[in-house]
Amino acid sequence: MKYPVIIHKDEETGYGVTIPDIPGCFADGDTQEESILNIQEAVELYYHGEDISEPPAASQMEDLLNSELYTRDSFLYLADIDFAFIAPKTQRINITVPEYKLIRIDRAAKDKGISRSAFFVDSAERLIRNLSVAKTVGRRQKKSVLP
């Protein structure tokens, strides 16, 4: 899942990463690249031993631009954080798909280099995220027409 993070550089230190959607979770590194690579590990360590059933919702980058966490000396980055570690157990499901659609799905999954199951899950997550964004945009539009 993609999460906006704020990367900042202090004068005499390396780079720090604030993850606004996970308050209290931070990553760092000597370089920008290293700090970005350390985000996944920081999240896993933060949640180690915690009992959570699903990842937190991701903020919109636009909302963070007005946040007190975002300053002139920082920049936003969209980090891909894999939350598979919170519920590593998988469940087998049975679905019915028209054969011609399954062929198209299998081709697309192969092109991406992932399994059919991963393709279904990734597609469902993307749809859920897009629906959430559309719902948020719809609310913002409604608010903007109110006096």
Side-chain angles (χ1 to χ4, degrees):
M1 213 170 160
K2 300 283 188 180
Y3 286 85
V5 299
I6 299 171
I7 300 177
H8 51 88
K9 170 86 169 88
D10 295 324
E11 285 186 33
E12 297 179 19
T13 63
Y15 290 84
V17 180
T18 301
I19 308 168
D21 297 311
I22 309 172
C25 183
F26 306 96
D28 66 357
D30 292 332
T31 64
Q32 289 178 21
E33 293 79 14
E34 185 179 338
S35 66
I36 290 168
L37 290 172
N38 290 338
I39 293 170
Q40 181 69 40
E41 181 181 13
V43 171
E44 290 182 25
L45 288 171
Y46 180 83
Y47 283 114
H48 182 73
E50 296 292 321
D51 185 25
I52 63 169
S53 59
E54 65 181 66
S59 296
Q60 297 297 310
M61 290 185 92
E62 297 82 20
D63 295 338
L64 295 178
L65 290 172
N66 299 320
S67 164
E68 61 190 34
L69 298 171
Y70 182 73
T71 66
R72 294 187 328 181
D73 300 327
S74 62
F75 63 94
L76 292 173
Y77 177 79
L78 199 55
D80 192 11
I81 301 175
D82 182 4
F83 277 91
F85 65 90
I86 63 173
K89 182 180 174 189
T90 59
Q91 289 197 347
R92 186 174 193 74
I93 61 168
N94 186 18
I95 63 171
T96 304
V97 180
E99 187 175 13
Y100 77 95
K101 288 185 179 185
L102 190 58
I103 291 169
R104 291 177 58 207
I105 290 166
D106 286 342
R107 283 183 188 148
K110 184 178 179 183
D111 288 346
K112 285 186 78 176
I114 61 175
S115 69
R116 178 191 292 166
S117 295
F119 185 85
F120 277 118
V121 170
D122 288 353
S123 298
E125 286 180 340
R126 189 173 302 111
L127 179 60
I128 291 166
R129 193 168 40 251
N130 288 342
L131 290 173
S132 296
V133 168
K135 193 181 293 183
T136 301
V137 169
R139 270 189 253 144
R140 285 186 184 152
Q141 289 173 345
K142 288 178 187 172
K143 287 180 182 176
S144 65
V145 295
L146 295 175

